[in-house]
Amino acid sequence: MFLIISLRERTRSGSASATKRDQHHVIFFLIIISRDLVTLSTSCHQPFAAMMQEGLDDGPDFLSEEDRGPRAMNVDLEMDATLQVDISDALSERDKVKFTVHTKSTLPNFKQNEFSVVRQHEEFIWLHDSFIENEDYAGYIIPPAPPRPDFDASREKLQKLGEGEGSMTKEEFTKMKQELEAEYLAIFKKTVAMHEVFLCRVAAHPVLRKDLNFHVFLEYNQDLSVRGKNKKEKLEDFFKNVVKSADGVLVAGVKDVDDFFEHEKTFLLEYHNRVKDASAKCDRMIRSHKNAADDMNRIASSLYTLGTQDSMDLCKFFLKVSELFDKTRKVEARVAADEDLKLADLLKYYLRESQAAKDLLYRRSRALVDYENANKGLDKARAKNRDVLQAETSQQLCCHKFEKISESAKQELIDFKTRRVAAFRKNLVELAELELKHAKGNLQLLQSCVGVLNSNT
Amino acid sequence: PKQDSLMDDDPEDLFAGATEEVSLDSPERDVLLSDGPSPAITPITPPTSVIAPRIGHAHDDMFTHSSFDEIEEEEGGDSFDVHISVSDPEKVGDGMNAYMAYKVSTKTSLSVFKQRDFSVKRRFSDFLGLHSKLASKYLHIGYIVPPAPEKSIVGMTKVKVGKEDQSSNEFVEKRRSALERYLMRTVKHPILLKDPDVLQFLENSELPRAVNTQALSSAGILRMVNKAADAVNKMTIKMNESDAWFEEKQQHFENLDVQLRKLHASVESLVCHRKELSVNTAQFAKSAAMLGNSEDHTALSRALSQLAEVEEKIDQLHQDQANADFYLFSELLGDYVRLITAGGSGDLELYFYFIFFRIRGVFDHRIKTWQKWQDSQVLLLKKREAEAKLQFTNKPDKLQQAKDEIKELEGKVQQGERDFEQISKIIRKEVGRFEKERVKDFKTIIVKYLESLVQTQQQLIKYWEAFLPEAKAIS
């Protein structure tokens, strides 16, 4: 079931005699998405047919792939029955998004086999940070935290639309409203997907899935009372990062004896930068695409007006071309949206993951440096014949830590590559298939229109 | 004493008032019929009827009232067979005196031309000169003379200075295309096609350089019209259906102007965004190639490189599409906006001003001359009485004078009526022809544009179909 409830809310502007200008018509949407239970395995997906808006109704199959997109980014995750996590519901309110995290598990440590809780973005961040801060997980690629839901741009546009309602025709207004609704919806779905991917990665990881915080996150049905970081903590974080990057430079200079890690280091550094660049350029490309689609929308409106006003000979002609532009721009908008989903989001995700992988390498290098320092310390202690035992213990600890990290890091990096290749493959194939589908759809629209126009003249 | 001519002013003066020096400060600059200050105009000395334009050559007879119908028949008989192309822009000279010379080639089987296939070299000011001549001859009698392409100081300076870059090449191409469309529109007009200046323009290897700084400004014509109207008493005109027709047409064109401008603006925006898309796609292609290089999984690396290639081809596709957006759709709209527009080279609106004042002027004048005639009759009566008294003094001149006056007035009224009917007829016909032309133009060009979109999609399909197996081959 899919409902869009639009609420018009007037912000209080003080005096009762506020002019119309002062009153903002802000259009909020409560979007309630409920899906059936879906697992990450692509086989039993319910198409999001219900997610369609009226305006997009003329091409039901245009949307059917949509929901498979970002969520199945890491297709290789083996989901087993012991722990399945997904986001079954999401609610968008003024400032925040409330995710319904749904878990199905046969693990003994959960009270029930199936349960749901409501979580907000901050709680996801808390979970992520708790992984980062946990020394035991130093040897793993910590799944990157989902980005904060950002509806500001969309909200601004909706607000502007509300303000400008008087200055455009009814059709234009309806069209723009539909467009903005679609945009809002797309952003919303994306943020849901990103949060879900994070949870699924954690659930798929052999060690992280056992984390206590994770279980609390999944099960505890009260508010976790996680507050966002206050200024002091944010400042601390900032300095930590500064230290880390300075450190990282030092550490990166140390050549690794191990060929595998040396290769990975070089690779990741370059790869990360290039993914960053590709991601930025991809976003720009898609934005231009959206702009072009918007222009077509305006062209369609103008042609429609001309069609209702002009001389008899041209009326029908203009109306038909207007219709065509309307349909074709919907296709173009979908092309941009799909490119966004399959390509832009993919690149963004791997930007974050490659950063997480770099962090892992950094931690390992740090451990190596510590190990080497401990070695030096031991030698010194032995030379001076003082605190030898202490130094030995310390050295052993460092050695053990380093080796543990190295071992798990190696596996993690290999898995990372596998996941990456699989994700790229899936998304590139789907991208190509969607581009083809839309181009063919577009072609058909255009050809049939040209045919009609030619036969009429 | 000299009799009143049709207008209160001396016809010579009338048109002298319409020509003026153009300076950068003159407010009429924006409404110049041709945007350039330079071309020479043969000043018009109209015959007694302002309607008949001065042709100068052997074609005078075409424009007497009876022959006008002949032209209509000719139109029907002759199938339109003229094709003009403007090509091979060539820079002549150096520095600020340089100019672009364009080859104007005509292919035709019409008998009005001396040859079937010929070409000449023309520069931009020649086009402006042609337009000025046509405007001064035909505008005021109701013909829709196509506006000349616009001058661009910035654009031309770049070309003169010798910048051989993308933007100046684009400028030259835009201009070439606009000049071609201008000539085609001009020759499509059955009257203009046979105009000796047009023929001369197309055929003569040498053309006298247009140097005169005077220009026939639409503001000047407007003033002239207003003068005539002001000089006459305002009065009520009985509304007949032809007034209603004109009013309706004016409204129609005003609406059309607004809508076309809006559409034009949207299409221009589309062109801009498509160009942006092309640039951004190219950049993404490079970035994807780099990413492919650094990817260490061989098959994925290859697929990414392929993706980069596809995107590169697509960016070229977008560029080509943007050109089609522009040259087909946008320029079509731009041309019609200029043709119809109320501001700028507001030729059509001018007609309607002219018609109304003309109608009113003629009616007014008609009434006035009737009044004068009445006055003259009273005068005549008085004079007869006086004559009776004078008979004894024997002054036959005064009597004859009165009789002559009356006769002339009656003649003038009849002429005015004929003029009025003629100009109404011409305008109706012109509007009909213009609309037919417009419908044809829009339909043809827009369909052509849609076909360009079809091609783009077909190419896209080709590219992605080639890429898909590469993507699937990643293992």
PDB file of all heavy atoms in Angstrom, chain B residues 317-344:
ATOM      1  N   LEU B 317      27.331  12.741 -29.238  1.00  0.00           N
ATOM      2  CA  LEU B 317      25.921  12.667 -29.604  1.00  0.00           C
ATOM      3  C   LEU B 317      25.147  13.852 -29.035  1.00  0.00           C
ATOM      4  O   LEU B 317      24.345  14.486 -29.707  1.00  0.00           O
ATOM      5  CB  LEU B 317      25.352  11.364 -29.039  1.00  0.00           C
ATOM      6  CG  LEU B 317      24.199  10.704 -29.784  1.00  0.00           C
ATOM      7  CD1 LEU B 317      24.579  10.420 -31.206  1.00  0.00           C
ATOM      8  CD2 LEU B 317      23.855   9.401 -29.078  1.00  0.00           C
ATOM      9  N   HIS B 318      25.436  14.152 -27.764  1.00  0.00           N
ATOM     10  CA  HIS B 318      24.752  15.279 -27.127  1.00  0.00           C
ATOM     11  C   HIS B 318      25.106  16.576 -27.828  1.00  0.00           C
ATOM     12  O   HIS B 318      24.263  17.452 -28.008  1.00  0.00           O
ATOM     13  CB  HIS B 318      25.148  15.383 -25.653  1.00  0.00           C
ATOM     14  CG  HIS B 318      24.528  14.343 -24.786  1.00  0.00           C
ATOM     15  ND1 HIS B 318      23.194  14.045 -24.818  1.00  0.00           N
ATOM     16  CD2 HIS B 318      25.066  13.528 -23.844  1.00  0.00           C
ATOM     17  CE1 HIS B 318      22.935  13.091 -23.951  1.00  0.00           C
ATOM     18  NE2 HIS B 318      24.044  12.768 -23.339  1.00  0.00           N
ATOM     19  N   GLN B 319      26.356  16.702 -28.207  1.00  0.00           N
ATOM     20  CA  GLN B 319      26.803  17.909 -28.902  1.00  0.00           C
ATOM     21  C   GLN B 319      26.047  18.073 -30.214  1.00  0.00           C
ATOM     22  O   GLN B 319      25.540  19.144 -30.523  1.00  0.00           O
ATOM     23  CB  GLN B 319      28.311  17.797 -29.148  1.00  0.00           C
ATOM     24  CG  GLN B 319      28.911  18.974 -29.890  1.00  0.00           C
ATOM     25  CD  GLN B 319      28.917  20.226 -29.061  1.00  0.00           C
ATOM     26  OE1 GLN B 319      29.036  20.179 -27.842  1.00  0.00           O
ATOM     27  NE2 GLN B 319      28.765  21.366 -29.688  1.00  0.00           N
ATOM     28  N   ASP B 320      25.967  16.981 -30.960  1.00  0.00           N
ATOM     29  CA  ASP B 320      25.241  17.034 -32.242  1.00  0.00           C
ATOM     30  C   ASP B 320      23.771  17.360 -32.012  1.00  0.00           C
ATOM     31  O   ASP B 320      23.176  18.136 -32.746  1.00  0.00           O
ATOM     32  CB  ASP B 320      25.359  15.695 -32.980  1.00  0.00           C
ATOM     33  CG  ASP B 320      26.782  15.424 -33.435  1.00  0.00           C
ATOM     34  OD1 ASP B 320      27.576  16.385 -33.502  1.00  0.00           O
ATOM     35  OD2 ASP B 320      27.112  14.252 -33.691  1.00  0.00           O
ATOM     36  N   GLN B 321      23.216  16.745 -30.994  1.00  0.00           N
ATOM     37  CA  GLN B 321      21.807  16.996 -30.705  1.00  0.00           C
ATOM     38  C   GLN B 321      21.587  18.456 -30.328  1.00  0.00           C
ATOM     39  O   GLN B 321      20.610  19.071 -30.730  1.00  0.00           O
ATOM     40  CB  GLN B 321      21.330  16.082 -29.572  1.00  0.00           C
ATOM     41  CG  GLN B 321      19.851  16.211 -29.278  1.00  0.00           C
ATOM     42  CD  GLN B 321      19.020  15.883 -30.475  1.00  0.00           C
ATOM     43  OE1 GLN B 321      19.073  14.787 -31.019  1.00  0.00           O
ATOM     44  NE2 GLN B 321      18.258  16.867 -30.940  1.00  0.00           N
ATOM     45  N   ALA B 322      22.522  19.005 -29.547  1.00  0.00           N
ATOM     46  CA  ALA B 322      22.395  20.418 -29.163  1.00  0.00           C
ATOM     47  C   ALA B 322      22.399  21.296 -30.405  1.00  0.00           C
ATOM     48  O   ALA B 322      21.672  22.288 -30.482  1.00  0.00           O
ATOM     49  CB  ALA B 322      23.525  20.811 -28.222  1.00  0.00           C
ATOM     50  N   ASN B 323      23.218  20.933 -31.383  1.00  0.00           N
ATOM     51  CA  ASN B 323      23.229  21.699 -32.627  1.00  0.00           C
ATOM     52  C   ASN B 323      21.893  21.617 -33.344  1.00  0.00           C
ATOM     53  O   ASN B 323      21.390  22.616 -33.842  1.00  0.00           O
ATOM     54  CB  ASN B 323      24.338  21.196 -33.554  1.00  0.00           C
ATOM     55  CG  ASN B 323      25.686  21.720 -33.129  1.00  0.00           C
ATOM     56  OD1 ASN B 323      25.785  22.745 -32.457  1.00  0.00           O
ATOM     57  ND2 ASN B 323      26.735  21.014 -33.486  1.00  0.00           N
ATOM     58  N   ALA B 324      21.336  20.419 -33.388  1.00  0.00           N
ATOM     59  CA  ALA B 324      20.015  20.269 -34.018  1.00  0.00           C
ATOM     60  C   ALA B 324      18.985  21.071 -33.239  1.00  0.00           C
ATOM     61  O   ALA B 324      18.162  21.773 -33.814  1.00  0.00           O
ATOM     62  CB  ALA B 324      19.620  18.804 -34.084  1.00  0.00           C
ATOM     63  N   ASP B 325      19.046  20.963 -31.896  1.00  0.00           N
ATOM     64  CA  ASP B 325      18.140  21.749 -31.056  1.00  0.00           C
ATOM     65  C   ASP B 325      18.193  23.201 -31.495  1.00  0.00           C
ATOM     66  O   ASP B 325      17.179  23.871 -31.610  1.00  0.00           O
ATOM     67  CB  ASP B 325      18.576  21.737 -29.575  1.00  0.00           C
ATOM     68  CG  ASP B 325      18.390  20.394 -28.913  1.00  0.00           C
ATOM     69  OD1 ASP B 325      17.657  19.552 -29.447  1.00  0.00           O
ATOM     70  OD2 ASP B 325      19.003  20.183 -27.856  1.00  0.00           O
ATOM     71  N   PHE B 326      19.418  23.646 -31.710  1.00  0.00           N
ATOM     72  CA  PHE B 326      19.587  25.058 -31.997  1.00  0.00           C
ATOM     73  C   PHE B 326      19.182  25.404 -33.419  1.00  0.00           C
ATOM     74  O   PHE B 326      18.298  26.210 -33.657  1.00  0.00           O
ATOM     75  CB  PHE B 326      21.038  25.472 -31.744  1.00  0.00           C
ATOM     76  CG  PHE B 326      21.264  26.911 -32.034  1.00  0.00           C
ATOM     77  CD1 PHE B 326      20.796  27.882 -31.171  1.00  0.00           C
ATOM     78  CD2 PHE B 326      21.904  27.303 -33.197  1.00  0.00           C
ATOM     79  CE1 PHE B 326      20.971  29.219 -31.447  1.00  0.00           C
ATOM     80  CE2 PHE B 326      22.083  28.647 -33.476  1.00  0.00           C
ATOM     81  CZ  PHE B 326      21.616  29.606 -32.604  1.00  0.00           C
ATOM     82  N   TYR B 327      19.883  24.790 -34.371  1.00  0.00           N
ATOM     83  CA  TYR B 327      19.704  25.240 -35.747  1.00  0.00           C
ATOM     84  C   TYR B 327      18.323  24.950 -36.291  1.00  0.00           C
ATOM     85  O   TYR B 327      17.828  25.663 -37.141  1.00  0.00           O
ATOM     86  CB  TYR B 327      20.775  24.626 -36.659  1.00  0.00           C
ATOM     87  CG  TYR B 327      22.092  25.333 -36.485  1.00  0.00           C
ATOM     88  CD1 TYR B 327      23.143  24.717 -35.844  1.00  0.00           C
ATOM     89  CD2 TYR B 327      22.249  26.635 -36.925  1.00  0.00           C
ATOM     90  CE1 TYR B 327      24.333  25.388 -35.651  1.00  0.00           C
ATOM     91  CE2 TYR B 327      23.440  27.308 -36.741  1.00  0.00           C
ATOM     92  CZ  TYR B 327      24.475  26.677 -36.106  1.00  0.00           C
ATOM     93  OH  TYR B 327      25.644  27.340 -35.909  1.00  0.00           O
ATOM     94  N   LEU B 328      17.707  23.883 -35.821  1.00  0.00           N
ATOM     95  CA  LEU B 328      16.372  23.606 -36.321  1.00  0.00           C
ATOM     96  C   LEU B 328      15.329  24.322 -35.492  1.00  0.00           C
ATOM     97  O   LEU B 328      14.625  25.199 -35.963  1.00  0.00           O
ATOM     98  CB  LEU B 328      16.120  22.096 -36.318  1.00  0.00           C
ATOM     99  CG  LEU B 328      16.892  21.331 -37.388  1.00  0.00           C
ATOM    100  CD1 LEU B 328      16.702  19.838 -37.222  1.00  0.00           C
ATOM    101  CD2 LEU B 328      16.439  21.761 -38.773  1.00  0.00           C
ATOM    102  N   PHE B 329      15.238  23.937 -34.222  1.00  0.00           N
ATOM    103  CA  PHE B 329      14.135  24.373 -33.401  1.00  0.00           C
ATOM    104  C   PHE B 329      14.282  25.826 -32.946  1.00  0.00           C
ATOM    105  O   PHE B 329      13.418  26.656 -33.164  1.00  0.00           O
ATOM    106  CB  PHE B 329      14.058  23.434 -32.190  1.00  0.00           C
ATOM    107  CG  PHE B 329      12.702  23.346 -31.571  1.00  0.00           C
ATOM    108  CD1 PHE B 329      11.608  24.038 -32.070  1.00  0.00           C
ATOM    109  CD2 PHE B 329      12.493  22.553 -30.456  1.00  0.00           C
ATOM    110  CE1 PHE B 329      10.364  23.937 -31.493  1.00  0.00           C
ATOM    111  CE2 PHE B 329      11.248  22.446 -29.873  1.00  0.00           C
ATOM    112  CZ  PHE B 329      10.189  23.137 -30.379  1.00  0.00           C
ATOM    113  N   SER B 330      15.410  26.099 -32.321  1.00  0.00           N
ATOM    114  CA  SER B 330      15.579  27.413 -31.716  1.00  0.00           C
ATOM    115  C   SER B 330      15.579  28.536 -32.745  1.00  0.00           C
ATOM    116  O   SER B 330      14.908  29.550 -32.577  1.00  0.00           O
ATOM    117  CB  SER B 330      16.869  27.430 -30.900  1.00  0.00           C
ATOM    118  OG  SER B 330      17.039  28.691 -30.306  1.00  0.00           O
ATOM    119  N   GLU B 331      16.321  28.345 -33.806  1.00  0.00           N
ATOM    120  CA  GLU B 331      16.398  29.404 -34.813  1.00  0.00           C
ATOM    121  C   GLU B 331      15.059  29.611 -35.513  1.00  0.00           C
ATOM    122  O   GLU B 331      14.696  30.727 -35.862  1.00  0.00           O
ATOM    123  CB  GLU B 331      17.485  29.116 -35.844  1.00  0.00           C
ATOM    124  CG  GLU B 331      18.907  29.264 -35.292  1.00  0.00           C
ATOM    125  CD  GLU B 331      19.366  30.710 -35.148  1.00  0.00           C
ATOM    126  OE1 GLU B 331      18.880  31.404 -34.226  1.00  0.00           O
ATOM    127  OE2 GLU B 331      20.201  31.151 -35.946  1.00  0.00           O
ATOM    128  N   LEU B 332      14.325  28.537 -35.723  1.00  0.00           N
ATOM    129  CA  LEU B 332      12.986  28.667 -36.308  1.00  0.00           C
ATOM    130  C   LEU B 332      12.137  29.591 -35.453  1.00  0.00           C
ATOM    131  O   LEU B 332      11.513  30.530 -35.942  1.00  0.00           O
ATOM    132  CB  LEU B 332      12.307  27.282 -36.374  1.00  0.00           C
ATOM    133  CG  LEU B 332      10.799  27.297 -36.666  1.00  0.00           C
ATOM    134  CD1 LEU B 332      10.540  27.626 -38.107  1.00  0.00           C
ATOM    135  CD2 LEU B 332      10.169  25.962 -36.323  1.00  0.00           C
ATOM    136  N   LEU B 333      12.147  29.315 -34.160  1.00  0.00           N
ATOM    137  CA  LEU B 333      11.351  30.136 -33.259  1.00  0.00           C
ATOM    138  C   LEU B 333      11.867  31.564 -33.239  1.00  0.00           C
ATOM    139  O   LEU B 333      11.096  32.514 -33.267  1.00  0.00           O
ATOM    140  CB  LEU B 333      11.390  29.543 -31.844  1.00  0.00           C
ATOM    141  CG  LEU B 333      10.733  28.182 -31.729  1.00  0.00           C
ATOM    142  CD1 LEU B 333      11.048  27.567 -30.379  1.00  0.00           C
ATOM    143  CD2 LEU B 333       9.229  28.306 -31.899  1.00  0.00           C
ATOM    144  N   GLY B 334      13.191  31.703 -33.205  1.00  0.00           N
ATOM    145  CA  GLY B 334      13.774  33.041 -33.188  1.00  0.00           C
ATOM    146  C   GLY B 334      13.356  33.841 -34.400  1.00  0.00           C
ATOM    147  O   GLY B 334      12.975  35.009 -34.298  1.00  0.00           O
ATOM    148  N   ASP B 335      13.417  33.192 -35.557  1.00  0.00           N
ATOM    149  CA  ASP B 335      13.016  33.886 -36.783  1.00  0.00           C
ATOM    150  C   ASP B 335      11.578  34.370 -36.695  1.00  0.00           C
ATOM    151  O   ASP B 335      11.269  35.497 -37.072  1.00  0.00           O
ATOM    152  CB  ASP B 335      13.131  32.944 -37.990  1.00  0.00           C
ATOM    153  CG  ASP B 335      14.581  32.755 -38.412  1.00  0.00           C
ATOM    154  OD1 ASP B 335      15.456  33.489 -37.899  1.00  0.00           O
ATOM    155  OD2 ASP B 335      14.842  31.860 -39.224  1.00  0.00           O
ATOM    156  N   TYR B 336      10.706  33.510 -36.194  1.00  0.00           N
ATOM    157  CA  TYR B 336       9.303  33.901 -36.152  1.00  0.00           C
ATOM    158  C   TYR B 336       9.027  34.931 -35.086  1.00  0.00           C
ATOM    159  O   TYR B 336       8.168  35.796 -35.252  1.00  0.00           O
ATOM    160  CB  TYR B 336       8.386  32.679 -36.024  1.00  0.00           C
ATOM    161  CG  TYR B 336       8.060  32.123 -37.370  1.00  0.00           C
ATOM    162  CD1 TYR B 336       8.830  31.108 -37.922  1.00  0.00           C
ATOM    163  CD2 TYR B 336       7.052  32.675 -38.134  1.00  0.00           C
ATOM    164  CE1 TYR B 336       8.574  30.645 -39.194  1.00  0.00           C
ATOM    165  CE2 TYR B 336       6.793  32.215 -39.411  1.00  0.00           C
ATOM    166  CZ  TYR B 336       7.552  31.193 -39.939  1.00  0.00           C
ATOM    167  OH  TYR B 336       7.307  30.743 -41.197  1.00  0.00           O
ATOM    168  N   VAL B 337       9.760  34.847 -34.013  1.00  0.00           N
ATOM    169  CA  VAL B 337       9.606  35.894 -33.008  1.00  0.00           C
ATOM    170  C   VAL B 337       9.970  37.239 -33.630  1.00  0.00           C
ATOM    171  O   VAL B 337       9.282  38.231 -33.465  1.00  0.00           O
ATOM    172  CB  VAL B 337      10.478  35.598 -31.771  1.00  0.00           C
ATOM    173  CG1 VAL B 337      10.614  36.823 -30.905  1.00  0.00           C
ATOM    174  CG2 VAL B 337       9.883  34.461 -30.978  1.00  0.00           C
ATOM    175  N   ARG B 338      11.054  37.232 -34.398  1.00  0.00           N
ATOM    176  CA  ARG B 338      11.463  38.496 -35.021  1.00  0.00           C
ATOM    177  C   ARG B 338      10.461  38.956 -36.061  1.00  0.00           C
ATOM    178  O   ARG B 338      10.215  40.131 -36.223  1.00  0.00           O
ATOM    179  CB  ARG B 338      12.843  38.363 -35.674  1.00  0.00           C
ATOM    180  CG  ARG B 338      13.982  38.603 -34.710  1.00  0.00           C
ATOM    181  CD  ARG B 338      15.277  38.772 -35.466  1.00  0.00           C
ATOM    182  NE  ARG B 338      15.656  37.544 -36.154  1.00  0.00           N
ATOM    183  CZ  ARG B 338      16.301  36.549 -35.572  1.00  0.00           C
ATOM    184  NH1 ARG B 338      16.628  36.626 -34.314  1.00  0.00           N
ATOM    185  NH2 ARG B 338      16.606  35.459 -36.243  1.00  0.00           N
ATOM    186  N   LEU B 339       9.892  37.985 -36.748  1.00  0.00           N
ATOM    187  CA  LEU B 339       8.907  38.337 -37.760  1.00  0.00           C
ATOM    188  C   LEU B 339       7.661  38.950 -37.145  1.00  0.00           C
ATOM    189  O   LEU B 339       7.042  39.834 -37.687  1.00  0.00           O
ATOM    190  CB  LEU B 339       8.502  37.090 -38.560  1.00  0.00           C
ATOM    191  CG  LEU B 339       9.332  36.793 -39.799  1.00  0.00           C
ATOM    192  CD1 LEU B 339       9.053  35.394 -40.295  1.00  0.00           C
ATOM    193  CD2 LEU B 339       9.030  37.794 -40.883  1.00  0.00           C
ATOM    194  N   ILE B 340       7.302  38.417 -35.997  1.00  0.00           N
ATOM    195  CA  ILE B 340       6.020  38.789 -35.420  1.00  0.00           C
ATOM    196  C   ILE B 340       6.138  39.890 -34.380  1.00  0.00           C
ATOM    197  O   ILE B 340       5.209  40.625 -34.154  1.00  0.00           O
ATOM    198  CB  ILE B 340       5.382  37.543 -34.764  1.00  0.00           C
ATOM    199  CG1 ILE B 340       4.866  36.612 -35.845  1.00  0.00           C
ATOM    200  CG2 ILE B 340       4.248  37.923 -33.846  1.00  0.00           C
ATOM    201  CD1 ILE B 340       4.375  35.314 -35.279  1.00  0.00           C
ATOM    202  N   THR B 341       7.301  39.993 -33.827  1.00  0.00           N
ATOM    203  CA  THR B 341       7.437  40.713 -32.577  1.00  0.00           C
ATOM    204  C   THR B 341       6.918  42.135 -32.569  1.00  0.00           C
ATOM    205  O   THR B 341       6.968  42.835 -33.562  1.00  0.00           O
ATOM    206  CB  THR B 341       8.896  40.707 -32.131  1.00  0.00           C
ATOM    207  OG1 THR B 341       8.970  41.120 -30.793  1.00  0.00           O
ATOM    208  CG2 THR B 341       9.720  41.644 -32.984  1.00  0.00           C
ATOM    209  N   ALA B 342       6.450  42.508 -31.415  1.00  0.00           N
ATOM    210  CA  ALA B 342       5.913  43.847 -31.274  1.00  0.00           C
ATOM    211  C   ALA B 342       7.010  44.870 -31.094  1.00  0.00           C
ATOM    212  O   ALA B 342       6.881  46.006 -31.485  1.00  0.00           O
ATOM    213  CB  ALA B 342       4.963  43.888 -30.079  1.00  0.00           C
ATOM    214  N   GLY B 343       8.092  44.470 -30.513  1.00  0.00           N
ATOM    215  CA  GLY B 343       9.206  45.402 -30.354  1.00  0.00           C
ATOM    216  C   GLY B 343      10.204  45.158 -31.450  1.00  0.00           C
ATOM    217  O   GLY B 343       9.851  44.650 -32.502  1.00  0.00           O
ATOM    218  N   GLY B 344      11.400  45.492 -31.270  1.00  0.00           N
ATOM    219  CA  GLY B 344      12.448  45.193 -32.234  1.00  0.00           C
ATOM    220  C   GLY B 344      12.092  45.672 -33.609  1.00  0.00           C
ATOM    221  O   GLY B 344      11.660  46.808 -33.813  1.00  0.00           O
TER     222      GLY B 344
END
